[in-house]
Amino acid sequence: MICRFDRLPLTNEFVDLGFSPPSNSFLKAEQLNEPEVYYPLKLFVSERTFLVQVDEYKKHDEIFSQDYVYFSSYSSTWLQHSKAYVEMMTQRFGYHGKSQVVEIASNDGYLLQYFKEKEIPVLGIEPTAGTAEVARQKGVESWVEFFGVALAKKMVAQGRQADLLLGNNVLAHVPDINDFVGGLKIALKPGGVITMEFPHLMQLIEHNQFDTIYHEHFSYLSLLAVQAIFAQHGLTLFDVEEIPTHGGSLRIFATHAGDPAHSAAPL
């Protein structure tokens, strides 16, 4: 297997959970007597960055399709978490009616709806058409596309660079992490802020959270690995928080390397 970050061979096995069908790939009644495809569920770790990862056995556009079943707004606790985030970020960074907030993997508008209530312009990037349509019904503008360098350039061409560029539980879900983080760099305005939330690898290890390992999670992230990936693409982490969601996660804050708008010493 080749590391999805530095493209060098991986030889150190992290965990082997045998074979498993893809998560959220539910069978219909007429499929119950048909063969079901199982894929290896084996993780490797890079000795260079400690990025833990699984190979891409099922393509991400097959996983995040029209039939994707996860709607973020079904969880009342997740809505509370999102609303608290909007309040915190608005107070800390002063977003207003001329700011641009962009969320990657915006799902059904579960979070952006709270920025919209404050009359702050929002844009959702969401590859699953069913959830994006629900967001649109809430008045949340949503583009049904995968995020990466190409889409970031489209945002720039349309004047939609972000003052706040956020993604909750998406960084672990992208097979081409360099294209994704490279896109963040392009889509962020000078002086802008990126926040990303992701399950913390340390919690997985300490609490034996093997049930959080599945094919939809391509990467298992530590602060060390994320710092290295962001730095490679000209982004600097300037703050981090430990949060309780998803069994223990990190929320990182990043900006353009050397950007004077966030002068705190890099982590």
Side-chain angles (χ1 to χ4, degrees):
M1 180 176 169
I2 301 299
C3 176
R4 60 175 34 92
F5 171 48
D6 63 19
R7 308 308 299 167
L8 296 174
L10 294 172
T11 57
N12 295 305
E13 187 177 303
F14 181 78
V15 66
D16 186 350
L17 297 181
F19 291 80
S20 173
S23 62
N24 294 329
S25 297
F26 303 119
L27 299 178
K28 299 177 181 178
E30 60 270 20
Q31 296 176 300
L32 294 179
N33 290 326
E34 298 177 2
E36 186 173 10
V37 178
Y38 280 59
Y39 298 93
L41 195 51
K42 180 186 291 188
L43 304 186
F44 289 85
V45 58
S46 167
E47 69 272 21
R48 299 168 296 276
T49 63
F50 301 104
L51 177 63
V52 175
Q53 52 203 286
V54 67
D55 209 349
E56 185 184 7
Y57 292 103
K58 189 171 184 181
K59 298 300 181 184
H60 68 310
D61 55 350
E62 297 177 29
I63 295 173
F64 302 104
S65 66
Q66 174 65 40
D67 299 324
Y68 191 64
V69 297
Y70 182 78
F71 286 74
S72 298
S73 294
Y74 289 175
S75 170
S76 58
T77 56
W78 189 240
L79 290 177
Q80 293 167 9
H81 172 78
S82 303
K83 189 170 186 178
Y85 167 87
V86 170
E87 294 295 332
M88 179 272 293
M89 293 296 290
T90 304
Q91 291 179 19
R92 179 172 177 178
F93 296 104
Y95 299 120
H96 49 75
K98 293 186 178 180
S99 303
Q100 176 68 69
V101 175
V102 178
E103 182 180 12
I104 304 165
S106 51
N107 200 266
D108 59 6
Y110 73 101
L111 185 148
L112 291 180
Q113 63 184 337
Y114 299 120
F115 278 115
K116 187 171 176 59
E117 286 177 359
K118 295 178 178 294
E119 299 184 347
I120 298 171
V122 299
L123 172 64
I125 309 297
E126 172 53 51
T128 62
T131 56
E133 180 54 35
V134 173
R136 287 170 177 153
Q137 292 170 12
K138 298 174 182 176
V140 174
E141 182 184 359
S142 301
W143 293 358
V144 182
E145 299 192 53
F146 285 100
F147 182 81
V149 168
L151 184 60
K153 290 179 178 178
K154 176 181 174 181
M155 291 170 59
V156 172
Q158 297 192 15
R160 303 301 294 270
Q161 274 184 301
D163 295 285
L164 172 60
L165 185 57
L166 71 117
N168 292 339
N169 304 301
V170 61
L171 192 59
H173 288 73
V174 293
D176 191 342
I177 202 163
N178 286 313
D179 181 62
F180 184 87
V181 179
L184 296 180
K185 172 71 174 175
I186 295 168
L188 186 68
K189 282 183 185 177
V193 172
I194 296 168
T195 70
M196 291 275 141
E197 296 180 15
F198 49 85
H200 192 189
L201 176 63
M202 185 183 74
Q203 300 295 336
L204 184 156
I205 295 170
E206 287 191 349
H207 300 290
N208 196 28
Q209 296 170 343
F210 63 89
D211 56 335
T212 66
I213 297 172
Y214 53 101
H215 299 104
E216 195 175 307
H217 275 175
F218 294 108
S219 300
Y220 300 80
L221 299 163
S222 64
L223 180 62
L224 187 66
V226 172
Q227 278 183 303
I229 296 167
F230 275 54
Q232 181 68 28
H233 294 280
L235 297 167
T236 298
L237 275 57
F238 65 90
D239 199 1
V240 62
E241 297 175 353
E242 290 183 303
I243 54 178
T245 54
H246 297 279
S249 298
L250 294 181
R251 175 190 288 148
I252 60 99
F253 296 73
T255 191
H256 293 290
D259 197 316
H262 304 285
S263 56
L267 295 179

